[in-house]
Amino acid sequence: MKKKMALLLACSMVLGLTACGSSSSTSSTTAAATEAAAEAETEAAETEAAETEAAAEAETEAEAASGDMDARIEAAKAEGELTVYGSCEEEYLAAACQNFEKLYGITVKYQRLSTSEVYTKVKEEAGNPSGDVWFGGTTDPYNEAVADDLLEAYDAMNAVNLMGDQYKDPENKWYGIYSGILGFMVNNEELERLGLEAPQSWDDLIKEEYKGLIMLSNPNTAGTAKLVINTMVQMKGHDEAMEYFKALDQNVIQYTKSGSGPSKMVGPGECVIGIGFLHDGIYQILQGYDNIGLIVPSEGTSAEIGATAIFKGCAHPNAAKLWIEYALSPDCVDLAKDNGSYQFLVITNATQPEEAEEFGLDLSLTIDYDFEDAKANSAQYVEDFFEALGSSADSADSGRFLTE
């Protein structure tokens, strides 16, 4: 088609020039037009050849990738088993592990632990981890693990499916699989009974009227709480954030072990206001607690990146690599919405959960979170948090900080 278009254009040039020129210039004009037509035809042929070559190269790369993946699958099957520590919700963790076992015939053992629990565990195991991979949970504890050289770098083939480079560690030590928005879940019935308006901002939470009504997770065990701390530091500055947490503590009745803990207390009325990820609130609403309201703080909030990674020195490295490829595919992430997890997926070929948008969640409402600051300073900020509250991170001086 390109050749025909080039020839037609050249012929048009010949006819036009012949009609306008004198007989004495006809031969030179015709020669120039013929030369132009030849050049156009050559250029079209070269373009066509380049496109054919590019298509052939792409096909070759695809075949090589397919063969490489087949080799990875066989190496993983030879190891025969995999141990997963999951920091997403139990229902999704179980579904993901069972499907991996079904797809590849590899025996999967799994345990649900909060992100800070996983980080503490692998740090104590010092390069000889009892697990192979980490699945789910916000990336602040993952980044602490990166800083301590506890995660293995792996160049995943399926990383091409990620929506952007922000959804992976610069050294490929973790990969993102979903994103969730931090906010408040409120029991509308209890607020009405108490004659209170729902809080609309972070600063609203420290009002005296909410004393004893709020739950947040324990930053000793939950990555969600670490994200809250980092978010306030980034939005308010360090010193003002610590003063904020001192004031907020006056209204907190309990710090739960798990980041999703507050969401589970709001519907039954065990707390009136829960701080956590709003997709956990969606799950509770869909379980029948239609008394729950979801609030995105008016001055802005942050969004987690839920991740997956390989533990450095793990016993089943090939099965672990296959897990990463699996976790970055629809085979895994599309299971989330059918198993109580309604986060936004960060994989291009995945199917987004309609529930997140139906409940008004929008990632554009979040701040530009500084992951590098969180990576470098999370541990110190947690210490500063407990110091501001007059408690030790390791002490049990208050039954409000749950660890079991």
Side-chain angles (χ1 to χ4, degrees):
M1 180 60 72
K2 291 178 180 177
K3 291 181 182 178
K4 290 179 179 178
M5 290 298 293
L7 290 172
L8 287 171
L9 179 61
C11 289
S12 297
M13 291 171 60
V14 172
L15 291 173
L17 290 170
T18 301
C20 296
S22 65
S23 59
S24 61
S25 61
T26 298
S27 61
S28 60
T29 300
T30 301
T34 301
E35 183 178 351
E39 290 176 356
E41 184 175 2
T42 300
E43 184 178 345
E46 290 174 349
T47 300
E48 186 176 352
E51 291 175 349
T52 301
E53 183 179 355
E57 288 178 358
E59 185 176 351
T60 300
E61 289 176 3
E63 290 175 354
S66 177
D68 195 13
M69 182 62 80
D70 289 342
R72 295 182 195 203
I73 291 171
E74 291 307 312
K77 285 182 175 180
E79 291 177 345
E81 60 183 81
L82 181 76
T83 300
V84 180
Y85 290 146
S87 299
C88 56
E89 287 304 294
E90 181 95 26
E91 188 178 349
Y92 179 27
L93 171 63
C97 291
Q98 289 163 9
N99 192 44
F100 183 83
E101 191 170 279
K102 177 182 176 182
L103 287 173
Y104 302 111
I106 295 170
T107 301
V108 181
K109 294 182 288 185
Y110 63 88
Q111 183 179 4
R112 202 281 172 189
L113 297 167
S114 296
T115 46
S116 290
E117 289 183 294
V118 176
Y119 166 66
T120 300
K121 185 175 180 63
V122 295
K123 187 175 182 179
E124 289 174 350
E125 290 170 345
N128 187 30
S130 52
D132 297 304
V133 295
W134 196 352
F135 180 66
T138 189
T139 46
D140 285 343
Y142 280 76
N143 281 327
E144 290 183 86
V146 169
D148 290 337
D149 197 26
L150 300 173
L151 302 182
E152 187 71 47
Y154 171 60
D155 296 331
M157 296 169 60
N158 282 340
V160 297
N161 297 330
L162 290 171
M163 291 180 175
D165 287 343
Q166 70 270 34
Y167 296 117
K168 69 182 184 70
D169 174 68
E171 297 178 343
N172 296 336
K173 291 189 174 181
W174 59 256
Y175 291 98
I177 50 178
Y178 60 75
S179 184
I181 297 175
L182 197 61
F184 319 143
M185 291 145 280
V186 300
N187 185 311
N188 289 319
E189 293 172 343
E190 284 298 297
L191 286 173
E192 184 178 357
R193 183 182 68 80
L194 294 167
L196 298 175
E197 296 292 326
Q200 298 299 316
S201 69
W202 290 105
D203 286 344
D204 281 350
L205 294 179
I206 63 176
K207 291 179 178 178
E208 189 174 352
E209 63 201 63
Y210 298 125
K211 186 175 181 65
L213 302 183
I214 297 174
M215 283 190 184
L216 173 64
S217 51
N218 182 351
N220 244 4
T221 55
T224 305
K226 288 183 177 179
L227 183 65
V228 173
I229 293 172
N230 287 323
T231 299
M232 290 298 97
V233 169
Q234 292 183 27
M235 291 180 68
K236 295 176 174 294
H238 176 276
D239 292 348
E240 187 178 342
M242 295 307 146
E243 289 300 314
Y244 173 81
F245 286 122
K246 266 202 288 192
L248 179 65
D249 183 59
Q250 301 303 307
N251 292 345
V252 175
I253 187 172
Q254 191 174 83
Y255 294 88
T256 64
K257 174 186 174 182
S258 169
S260 63
S263 71
K264 298 170 183 175
M265 304 296 186
V266 174
E270 295 179 56
C271 81
V272 180
I273 302 165
I275 304 171
F277 291 118
L278 296 181
H279 55 259
D280 290 330
I282 292 176
Y283 176 77
Q284 295 300 319
I285 293 169
L286 295 178
Q287 291 299 299
Y289 289 110
D290 56 3
N291 57 349
I292 295 177
L294 306 179
I295 298 170
V296 178
S298 59
E299 66 269 61
T301 189
S302 57
E304 69 166 337
I305 297 176
T308 190
I310 299 172
F311 297 126
K312 192 167 188 176
C314 68
H316 307 103
N318 291 307
K321 291 174 183 176
L322 182 59
W323 174 272
I324 299 299
E325 301 293 355
Y326 164 73
L328 294 175
S329 77
D331 284 339
C332 178
V333 297
D334 279 358
L335 296 171
K337 61 185 177 299
D338 296 324
N339 292 278
S341 293
Y342 305 104
Q343 303 97 322
F344 290 100
L345 302 178
V346 300
I347 312 274
T348 56
N349 55 349
T351 303
Q352 293 292 344
E354 296 176 355
E355 291 82 357
E357 292 187 4
E358 287 174 359
F359 280 90
L361 303 192
D362 184 351
L363 288 173
S364 69
L365 302 173
T366 59
I367 65 171
D368 185 12
Y369 188 77
D370 188 340
F371 285 94
E372 289 305 311
D373 182 75
K375 181 191 296 186
N377 298 303
S378 279
Q380 184 61 54
Y381 293 160
V382 170
E383 287 187 21
D384 296 344
F385 168 88
F386 280 104
E387 184 177 344
L389 270 54
S391 304
S392 165
D394 299 318
S395 73
D397 60 349
S398 171
R400 293 186 303 141
F401 288 91
L402 301 185
T403 57
E404 295 296 335

